[in-house]
Amino acid sequence: MTELVQVYVCYAHAKQEWIRPMQVKPGTTIGEAIEQSGVLQDFPEINLATQPVGIYAKKKTLDTVLRERDRIEIYRPLVADPKDSRRKRAAKKEAAATGGAG
């Protein structure tokens, strides 16, 4: 009998966190585990063609083979561009320091 591999499929929705521990066959890919987990049925807005996935915050492809205790993460689209947000904060801070209306 083949030993199964323990993995976790995770998705952080805006209102809740979804985590499913699973045991999969050796050689299972990220895409296969996501399909088997049921997350796509619980969150039909997930689009694996456009949303990146990863393991422990490192982006991976859907055909990546899983290893014991991998935490598969499905990433949501960013609400704001982090670079734009940083520029706006810096401009606001500079305006406050110089007494400008910013």
Side-chain angles (χ1 to χ4, degrees), residues 3-59:
E3 293 255 346
L4 295 177
V5 177
Q6 176 75 41
V7 298
Y8 303 86
V9 177
C10 308
Y11 179 62
H13 186 269
K15 296 182 175 150
Q16 76 183 76
E17 184 177 318
W18 189 98
I19 299 175
R20 169 115 346 125
M22 300 176 57
Q23 290 190 335
V24 297
K25 294 178 185 174
T28 299
T29 65
I30 289 176
E32 292 167 340
I34 290 171
E35 291 280 339
Q36 294 170 24
S37 73
V39 69
L40 300 177
Q41 288 74 33
D42 290 352
F43 298 96
E45 70 273 12
I46 294 174
N47 182 347
L48 294 178
T50 60
Q51 287 178 246
V53 297
I55 296 175
Y56 289 113
K58 294 187 183 203
K59 285 188 182 177

Side-chain angles (χ1 to χ4, degrees), residues 82-98 102:
K83 290 180 184 178
D84 287 341
S85 297
R86 184 169 184 231
R87 282 188 206 106
K88 288 176 185 175
R89 282 194 309 274
K92 187 174 182 179
K93 188 174 183 179
E94 184 179 326
T98 60

